[in-house]
Amino acid sequence: MNVTCDFLVIGAGPAGMAAAATAARLGLSTVLVDEQATLGWQIYRQVEGRGDNPPGVSHLDWVRGAALAAEFRASGAAYQSGTQVWQLDKDRKVYVTDGTKAACIVARRVFIATGAMERPVPLPGWTLPGVMTVGAAQIRYKTSQWVPQDGAWLAGSGPLVWLYAAQVLEAGGRIAGILDTAPPANTARALRHTMGALRNWATVQRGRALQQRVRAAGVAVYKHVSALEAKGDGQLSSVRYCINGQWHEKPASLLLLHQGVVPHAHATLSLDAAHRWDERQRCFAPVVDAWGNLSVDGYAAAGDCAGIVGAEASALQGRLAALEGARALGVIDATQRDAQAAPVRAALLRHLPIRPFLDALFAPRASLFEPADDVLVCRCESVTARQIRDAVALGCVGPNQMKAYTRCGMGPCQGRMCGLAATEIIARTRNVSPSEIGLFHVRPPLKPLSLSEFAALAEG
Amino acid sequence: MAAERITVYVDGAAVTVSANDSAASAALQAGIGYTRLSPITGEKRAPYCMMGMCFECLMVIDGVPSRQACMVTVRPGMRIERQTGARVLS
Ligand SMILES: Cc1cc2nc3c(=O)[nH]c(=O)nc-3n(C[C@H](O)[C@H](O)[C@H](O)COP(=O)(O)OP(=O)(O)OC[C@H]3O[C@@H](n4cnc5c(N)ncnc54)[C@H](O)[C@@H]3O)c2cc1C
Ligand code: FES
């Protein structure tokens, strides 16, 4: 069935919930769609499901998430959960599916808030069962309080490593050890951005408290890990890591990887909106103006999908995009928009200046972007780093030629897992910046669709 | 308020899981190790991201192949099976 609305929001994380609530309050007929079953995505996952207000490390996020979810529920915006967007047209026809039937939503404004994903960084053995991401394990914790009992190894760099470790310990689980891959130079680089960090010192303190908690619990923390390997025959059995040129090996049944988060920009890429390479965050992000407007008319994007800003800033940016949407649709004028935006912008100034500090402190180690030749980069099509390098040597200068040549990025994940890694490999092989290489073209459908889903669309 | 517990069948074996869990989470809890074979190399694979990005969790759910198990919430009696054949879309 086709739906028409003023303001369509894609993604029910903090940016999407705040935008939808703001737009609906201003009188726009608003629809929020999200492929997840519940509001709040990763950080505010299950805020509605858990009647108890969890104490401890998750408390503050729970309070903020519950407030946003309540504001959204009270706003009158429509909500379609379990609804995935698989195509966006330039004329703002947005195609969705609930897994059984496809449908089309025609909107006057579309706001994309598809958030972040963990940065995929290929390493030897990362496809073995028993190897997952830290975020994957945290999803199990948030949905059903599952924590590892046999001792999980955590490897990588990023605030999520410490947060998850603290959550596991608090819930009575076991961490075998933390393999910290952040290069030593990160600290000095981060200190150059102390002024920004001072604006939001509470966040820095919260992060330090988490680290202290994890160390105080006696978890072994191995610093300056320069390389990692997952070993096993069809199932993870050990983890190898290198410190100061020395390799070590430890038995492991669960290895959780994390190298920070990057924008999940598949939707904006598929629109052919302008994108930029962000050197500080080592990722591509859509080009947006101060209101989140994209280069494609009637479309906006904000929150982590337009550059990593964190949950609180994402919600604030969502509000700005909704105000601008209301202005563009003639519900408020520019003066009213600016007046309502002023406190939101003031609040953003508390959250944005800390980013350069965090980005520098947890920046991934450069050598991780040069996996050995035999490492699988494309999990779906089983394409190795060597095949990508060979394609470059044969004259495939960009990712799209390389894709046609190797099938890298042609599997069901459509390059979500290998795209950025492949661009980094091509850039290093050619000795140019990733900004010159770009990403794979993203073509609809954004995710594979079955024939029966398509059929429903034709029946209208 | 803990979520209700329900029973699902992972490769035929009954497993009790939270009603909030995904089918992929149920498969992990069942301890079956791998959840699919790579249609390209035959290697064993298992859910990696649990957030709909990697497509490593493709499984046969209630007879329908290639479902993204991490995006499917369990239902009582759900049959969740390893996917060992070629890639198919119903
Ligand atoms: C794995 C992971 C764990 C994290 N854990 C924490 C944490 O513990 N604490 C913390 O402070 N921050 C955490 N973060 C960061 C935090 O989640 C983000 O800063 C914040 O959620 C960004 O908000 P957002 O509204 O921009 O997007 P998100 O909250 O990411 O929301 C995006 C939403 O878009 C939906 N979506 C995406 N594509 C589609 C589509 N095609 N169709 C329909 N819906 C779609 C997704 O289902 C999701 O609900 C984590 C991030 C990740 C990736
Ligand atoms: S586990 Fe990655 S898509 Fe399901």
Side-chain angles (χ1 to χ4, degrees), chain A residues 301-385:
Chain A
D304 275 357
C305 75
I308 304 304
V309 290
E312 289 170 275
S314 292
L316 295 165
Q317 290 182 340
R319 292 189 196 282
L320 294 179
L323 290 171
E324 163 68 356
R327 186 215 50 87
L329 296 175
V331 174
I332 54 175
D333 62 24
T335 317
Q336 290 167 314
R337 176 200 65 184
D338 294 348
Q340 295 195 34
V344 182
R345 291 204 186 278
L348 266 177
L349 282 181
R350 281 198 301 279
H351 296 293
L352 292 181
I354 194 177
R355 278 292 134 188
F357 175 84
L358 295 176
D359 293 340
L361 193 61
F362 295 109
R365 186 178 279 265
S367 58
L368 295 171
F369 297 116
E370 292 181 86
D373 269 346
D374 55 354
V375 173
L376 278 189
V377 176
C378 173
R379 304 175 66 111
C380 298
E381 297 292 322
S382 292
V383 179
T384 62

Side-chain angles (χ1 to χ4, degrees), chain A residues 10-17 33-36 38-45 61 83-86 88 96 113-118 133-136 138-139 142 160 163-164 167 206 258 260-262 264 266-267 302-306 308-312 314-315 317 355 416 446-447, chain B residues 49 51 53 71:
Chain A
I10 305 169
M17 285 196 287
V33 297
D34 195 295
E35 62 186 2
Q36 298 285 337
T38 51
L39 280 178
W41 172 227
Q42 177 68 5
I43 168 157
Y44 301 151
R45 189 175 274 265
D61 289 337
T83 303
Q84 189 177 80
V85 170
W86 53 272
L88 305 102
V96 298
T114 48
M117 59 180 282
E118 289 176 280
T133 68
V134 173
Q138 196 201 33
I139 286 172
K142 289 201 173 179
L160 188 60
L163 174 62
Y164 176 68
Q167 287 169 331
R206 202 176 157 202
H258 184 75
V261 299
V262 294
H264 177 214
H266 247 58
D304 275 357
C305 75
I308 304 304
V309 290
E312 289 170 275
S314 292
Q317 290 182 340
R355 278 292 134 188
R416 283 177 176 81
L446 294 179
K447 288 194 177 174
Chain B
C49 73
M51 58 177 276
M53 299 289 164
M71 302 294 283

Side-chain angles (χ1 to χ4, degrees), chain A residues 49 133 144 379 381 447 450, chain B residues 21 45 48 52 56 87 90:
Chain A
T133 68
S144 54
R379 304 175 66 111
E381 297 292 322
K447 288 194 177 174
S450 68
Chain B
D21 268 323
R45 298 286 177 84
Y48 180 71
E56 288 290 10
R87 201 142 69 203
S90 56

Side-chain angles (χ1 to χ4, degrees), chain A residues 19-385:
Chain A
T22 305
R25 174 177 58 77
L26 291 166
L28 300 181
S29 69
T30 303
V31 177
L32 172 67
V33 297
D34 195 295
E35 62 186 2
Q36 298 285 337
T38 51
L39 280 178
W41 172 227
Q42 177 68 5
I43 168 157
Y44 301 151
R45 189 175 274 265
Q46 306 287 350
V47 282
E48 290 191 318
R50 291 190 70 171
D52 61 333
N53 181 341
V57 288
S58 313
H59 175 75
L60 200 55
D61 289 337
W62 190 92
V63 171
R64 290 181 183 137
L68 259 185
E71 181 191 345
F72 167 74
R73 289 287 186 187
S75 73
Y79 170 42
Q80 298 182 10
S81 64
T83 303
Q84 189 177 80
V85 170
W86 53 272
Q87 180 166 336
L88 305 102
D89 287 353
K90 290 223 155 78
D91 57 2
R92 297 180 306 285
K93 284 200 188 84
V94 174
Y95 295 86
V96 298
T97 177
D98 62 2
T100 54
K101 333 183 263 315
C104 176
I105 302 176
V106 186
R108 295 170 72 203
R109 298 276 304 182
V110 181
F111 174 57
I112 300 173
T114 48
M117 59 180 282
E118 289 176 280
R119 178 195 301 277
V121 179
L123 53 83
W126 73 313
T127 53
L128 282 171
V131 183
M132 303 178 86
T133 68
V134 173
Q138 196 201 33
I139 286 172
R140 297 189 69 196
Y141 164 69
K142 289 201 173 179
T143 41
S144 54
Q145 286 78 58
W146 180 88
V147 289
Q149 296 298 335
D150 305 332
W153 284 91
L154 270 54
S157 173
L160 188 60
V161 172
W162 298 96
L163 174 62
Y164 176 68
Q167 287 169 331
V168 169
L169 297 171
E170 187 177 80
R174 272 199 59 229
I175 305 287
I178 296 181
L179 301 168
D180 187 347
T181 62
N186 278 12
T187 315
R189 292 212 182 97
L191 287 176
R192 282 186 220 147
H193 303 286
T194 311
M195 287 311 287
L198 283 173
R199 297 255 199 125
N200 195 341
W201 197 241
T203 296
V204 178
Q205 278 176 318
R206 202 176 157 202
R208 282 173 43 184
L210 285 178
Q211 296 204 358
Q212 278 159 8
R213 247 173 130 131
V214 172
R215 288 173 198 274
V219 172
V221 179
Y222 304 85
K223 289 186 74 82
H224 311 321
V225 171
S226 61
L228 275 172
E229 273 179 39
K231 307 284 282 183
D233 183 11
Q235 179 73 38
L236 176 75
S237 56
S238 66
V239 55
R240 291 187 74 226
Y241 57 94
C242 183
I243 298 176
N244 284 331
Q246 288 288 107
W247 281 93
H248 309 263
E249 186 161 351
K250 294 271 165 64
S253 56
L254 181 61
L255 171 62
L256 303 174
L257 304 175
H258 184 75
Q259 291 294 346
V261 299
V262 294
H264 177 214
H266 247 58
T268 51
L269 285 166
S270 77
L271 263 179
D272 274 335
H275 284 68
R276 67 189 166 87
W277 168 252
D278 186 325
E279 183 64 33
R280 209 181 70 215
Q281 300 191 334
R282 286 211 83 75
C283 60
F284 289 90
V287 176
V288 291
D289 69 8
W291 300 99
N293 290 311
L294 289 166
S295 63
V296 179
D297 201 36
Y299 274 96
D304 275 357
C305 75
I308 304 304
V309 290
E312 289 170 275
S314 292
L316 295 165
Q317 290 182 340
R319 292 189 196 282
L320 294 179
L323 290 171
E324 163 68 356
R327 186 215 50 87
L329 296 175
V331 174
I332 54 175
D333 62 24
T335 317
Q336 290 167 314
R337 176 200 65 184
D338 294 348
Q340 295 195 34
V344 182
R345 291 204 186 278
L348 266 177
L349 282 181
R350 281 198 301 279
H351 296 293
L352 292 181
I354 194 177
R355 278 292 134 188
F357 175 84
L358 295 176
D359 293 340
L361 193 61
F362 295 109
R365 186 178 279 265
S367 58
L368 295 171
F369 297 116
E370 292 181 86
D373 269 346
D374 55 354
V375 173
L376 278 189
V377 176
C378 173
R379 304 175 66 111
C380 298
E381 297 292 322
S382 292
V383 179
T384 62

